[in-house]
Amino acid sequence: MDRALFELTPPTRWLGARLEVFAEVDSTNLVAERLGHEGAPDGTIVIADRQSAGRGRLGRSFFSPGGRSLYFSVLLRPAMPLEHVHRHVFAASVAIAACARAALPARCAVEIKWPNDVLIDGRKTSGINLPVHVDAERVVFAVLGIGVNVNLGADELPAELREIATSLSIAGGKSLDRIRFAEELLAQLERELDLLRAGEFALVLDRYRKSFRMPGAKVRIGGPGVAREVIGTVLGVDEEGALLLRPSTGGADSVERVLAGDVTLLRGEA
Ligand code: BTN
């Protein structure tokens, strides 16, 4: 494996003060959860070169081959109510989008697809999830899981991902220093998380909206756990990050507020 992953030195104050680096794990989220139950401190990072059972959102798997990409989980013990914990995924997507933009030529279009997929030229390059552990409605800890396709080659993507996924190297046309990218990302992530902790989610959302190009798009919201599929036109995100839609079946003034789900962009449908 790339030995340099063991040399990762986050240029941060509290994020990654405890850093656990592995050549391979089942899922960095699972390792971070174990550490969470054992009492590891807020900001602990678990990073692995490869995951044998990488976990995606909504019960899916996350393609995690070795030597190319970044897979890490941040153990968080946030002092905020349960209904605000989802804000961390907005902070993470803003950090990834900023670092992707800085690492890529200006011709590459970096955008965020609600809630937290960072797309480059319309294809997904990173995934974020946030399992939260609660006890009697109180947040005990949360695990912010982040995967970024850094130097994955187009021929390495499984057939089912080829049309919908990409990597920074595919989009930018050249390989990146994966460890340097990780260090920049952790520094940026710490800045966004500091804003959250200072009660400045509105500032994080302002930055989110700058990368959010979905307003006006026709979408379908569905997926596992979504009781009722909705089709409509995206209006924006509200002050809590909920997606605001004008449903295609409603009146001209109707607005639907979506808190969770899978978004499919409908081109010429609907
Ligand atoms: C998604 O887009 O569905 C979310 C993917 C999250 C993947 C990351 S990779 C590091 C961490 N460990 C996991 O098993 N999942 C997250």
Side-chain angles (χ1 to χ4, degrees):
M1 73 165 269
D2 181 357
R3 278 183 44 79
L5 194 59
F6 285 100
E7 287 149 26
L8 178 72
T9 311
T12 47
R13 288 178 293 107
W14 60 272
L15 187 63
R18 175 167 172 188
L19 177 66
E20 301 283 344
V21 185
F22 296 90
E24 177 173 339
V25 293
D26 44 6
S27 154
T28 57
N29 278 8
L30 290 179
V31 177
E33 280 170 29
R34 261 173 253 144
L35 291 175
H37 288 298
E38 289 166 12
D42 178 50
T44 296
I45 290 183
V46 177
I47 188 164
D49 186 59
R50 177 174 189 279
Q51 300 184 114
S52 55
R55 297 180 158 200
R57 286 174 66 230
L58 308 171
R60 301 200 181 99
S61 62
F62 190 76
F63 179 60
S64 309
R68 303 271 187 281
S69 294
L70 290 174
Y71 317 110
F72 65 94
S73 300
V74 184
L75 176 67
L76 296 164
R77 299 189 183 278
M80 56 176 72
L82 180 57
E83 62 270 25
H84 290 172
V85 175
H86 71 281
R87 295 175 173 185
H88 288 89
V89 302
F90 290 85
S93 59
V94 167
I96 297 168
C99 291
R101 204 167 276 123
L104 290 172
R107 66 177 157 78
C108 295
V110 178
E111 63 188 306
I112 299 175
K113 176 174 169 242
W114 188 89
N116 55 46
D117 285 343
V118 177
L119 308 186
I120 304 175
D121 298 334
R123 293 175 185 210
K124 175 165 166 163
T125 190
S126 71
I128 300 166
N129 58 10
L130 186 76
V132 182
H133 292 252
V134 290
D135 181 19
E137 300 279 300
R138 195 183 67 82
V139 180
V140 181
F141 63 82
V143 170
L144 179 62
I146 297 180
V148 185
N149 296 337
V150 180
N151 287 329
L152 216 53
D155 53 347
E156 292 175 289
L157 286 167
E160 69 275 14
L161 296 182
R162 251 171 230 167
E163 296 301 314
I164 54 172
T166 189
S167 70
L168 297 172
S169 65
I170 297 170
K174 65 175 168 59
S175 290
L176 273 85
D177 181 333
R178 182 172 63 135
I179 305 310
R180 191 162 145 218
F181 183 82
E183 288 169 349
E184 285 163 1
L185 178 54
L186 291 173
Q188 189 66 40
L189 182 60
E190 187 179 68
R191 286 195 276 276
E192 304 300 335
L193 296 178
D194 280 341
L195 282 176
L196 279 193
R197 289 174 177 210
E200 300 284 7
F201 182 50
L203 290 182
V204 176
L205 270 183
D206 282 349
R207 293 139 77 84
Y208 181 92
R209 289 192 181 99
K210 290 194 176 109
S211 295
F212 183 65
R213 314 244 183 280
M214 293 177 77
K218 290 248 163 53
V219 296
R220 179 193 302 119
I221 314 289
V226 172
R228 188 176 53 88
E229 194 175 272
V230 186
I231 292 178
T233 304
V234 176
L235 300 173
V237 290
D238 72 8
E239 69 289 346
E240 257 321 309
L243 187 69
L244 301 176
L245 280 188
R246 171 126 317 138
S248 52
T249 52
D253 293 333
S254 63
V255 178
E256 179 128 359
R257 192 167 178 264
V258 180
L259 293 171
D262 243 1
V263 179
T264 307
L265 287 166
L266 305 173
R267 294 193 173 88
E269 290 179 49

